């Protein structure tokens, strides 16, 4: 099956640090990748949609300068949380979709638990 | 507007009981896809099933079965003879032509030994 690798799985860092999270599709080419944020006991909140070779599309209320997304290849997307603060602490999950469109399932990474002290 | 409702926030059953997780969706699109995902305590989301709006055939996969009824806009998920390893949060999701997944709030299933 389609495998998505997300790294790191856990980050603990000081306030003001920038943190980069990688999302890789290991055995398929992902034309579209998605970044979600999940608070405890809540559903997934879509932050942005990223298409290979173009700028990411951010959801309303998500600061694009705060959450930098790069999708430079068909197998790699990165999310950088710039100058992270305690309120950015959360569980971040990426997903990747193979060729096709909304009929294809999204395959999810294992998530990254970000804790800002 | 599109919306997915999972009215059951938490369900607790004893091992070997059958359990049904409800999912009701709203969309005006005629072409759409429905998904179920499982999120165990470790956090990753595991894809379970996809169903398109033109296929109302029910599906069974081992102990899992899904009942799709367009007339009631429901896509319910049943686990037969539940096991402790089934304990997780289960999400129902809807995909329309925007390409985005609209998730329900999730149902936490606890299976006790």
């Amino acid at each position: 099956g389609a495998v998505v690798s997300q790294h790191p799985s856990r980050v603990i860092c000081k306030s003001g640090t920038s943190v980069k999270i990688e999302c890789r599709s290991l055995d398929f080419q992902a034309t579209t990748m998605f970044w979600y944020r999940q608070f405890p006991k809540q559903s997934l909140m879509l932050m942005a949609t990223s298409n290979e070779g173009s700028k990411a599309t951010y959801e309303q209320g998500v600061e694009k300068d705060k959450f930098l997304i790069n999708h430079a290849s068909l197998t790699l997307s990165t999310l950088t949380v710039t100058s992270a603060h305690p309120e950015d602490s959360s569980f971040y999950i990426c997903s990747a979709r193979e060729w096709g469109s909304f009929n294809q399932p999204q395959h999810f990474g294992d998530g990254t638990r970000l804790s800002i002290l | 507007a599109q919306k997915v409702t999972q009215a059951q926030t938490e369900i607790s059953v004893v091992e070997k009981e059958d359990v049904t997780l409800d999912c009701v969706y709203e969309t005006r699109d005629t072409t759409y896809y429905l998904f179920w995902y499982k999120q165990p305590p470790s956090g990753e989301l595991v894809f379970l099933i996809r169903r398109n709006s033109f296929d109302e055939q029910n599906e069974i996969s081992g102990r899992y079965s899904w009942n799709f009824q367009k007339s009631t806009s429901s896509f319910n998920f049943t686990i037969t003879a539940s096991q402790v390893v089934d304990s997780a949060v289960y999400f129902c999701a809807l995909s329309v032509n925007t390409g985005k997944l609209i998730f329900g709030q999730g149902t936490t299933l606890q299976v006790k030994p």
Side-chain angles (χ1 to χ4, degrees):
Chain A
V3 177
V4 174
S5 172
Q6 187 172 340
H7 178 81
S9 58
R10 187 174 184 98
V11 179
I12 302 174
C13 57
K14 294 180 180 179
S15 186
T17 307
S18 290
V19 178
K20 180 186 278 189
I21 303 170
E22 291 188 350
C23 181
R24 293 180 185 272
S25 55
L26 297 186
D27 51 359
F28 66 99
Q29 292 188 327
T31 52
T32 306
M33 288 185 169
F34 302 85
W35 288 94
Y36 295 85
R37 185 172 180 176
Q38 186 179 31
F39 292 102
K41 297 188 183 297
Q42 293 190 23
S43 189
L44 283 77
M45 181 189 79
L46 179 65
M47 298 174 67
T49 302
S50 121
N51 291 297
E52 184 265 339
S54 62
K55 290 184 179 180
T57 302
Y58 289 81
E59 294 300 300
Q60 193 172 10
V62 177
E63 300 175 58
K64 59 182 68 175
D65 294 331
K66 175 75 169 176
F67 300 99
L68 300 178
I69 292 172
N70 183 276
H71 191 163
S73 76
L74 285 171
T75 59
L76 173 65
S77 177
T78 60
L79 166 68
T80 301
V81 184
T82 61
S83 187
H85 291 284
E87 58 267 28
D88 298 322
S89 299
S90 191
F91 188 58
Y92 293 87
I93 315 176
C94 72
S95 72
R97 190 173 63 200
E98 298 180 74
W99 59 270
S101 62
F102 66 104
N103 59 322
Q104 295 298 318
Q106 293 180 23
H107 300 282
F108 287 81
D110 288 349
T112 298
R113 287 195 192 282
L114 176 61
S115 299
I116 308 298
L117 305 177
Chain B
Q2 289 85 24
K3 184 180 178 182
V4 176
T5 301
Q6 293 179 255
Q8 304 149 308
T9 305
E10 294 185 15
I11 300 176
S12 181
V13 300
V14 176
E15 208 169 18
K16 296 185 183 177
E17 284 185 21
D18 297 348
V19 58
T20 295
L21 310 181
D22 297 333
C23 173
V24 174
Y25 62 93
E26 294 175 31
T27 180
R28 291 183 180 176
D29 289 50
T30 55
T31 302
Y32 53 88
Y33 288 79
L34 295 163
F35 302 83
W36 274 95
Y37 285 89
K38 174 183 179 180
Q39 186 177 38
S42 50
E44 77 276 18
L45 266 80
V46 178
F47 165 68
L48 296 178
I49 190 172
R50 172 187 59 185
R51 174 65 71 219
N52 76 58
S53 53
F54 300 108
D55 182 5
E56 287 193 70
Q57 196 170 19
N58 292 327
E59 183 158 339
I60 298 175
S61 176
R63 296 184 296 107
Y64 295 170
S65 63
W66 290 270
N67 179 256
F68 176 31
Q69 294 202 350
K70 286 181 75 172
S71 60
T72 55
S73 297
S74 65
F75 186 42
N76 297 337
F77 173 30
T78 298
I79 301 175
T80 304
S82 60
Q83 300 176 1
V84 173
V85 293
D86 295 326
S87 297
V89 181
Y90 291 85
F91 290 98
C92 179
L94 167 70
S95 178
V96 295
N97 61 4
T98 61
K100 300 175 186 178
L101 270 180
I102 299 119
F103 284 91
Q105 287 302 305
T107 297
T108 300
L109 173 64
Q110 183 181 31
V111 181
K112 298 177 181 177

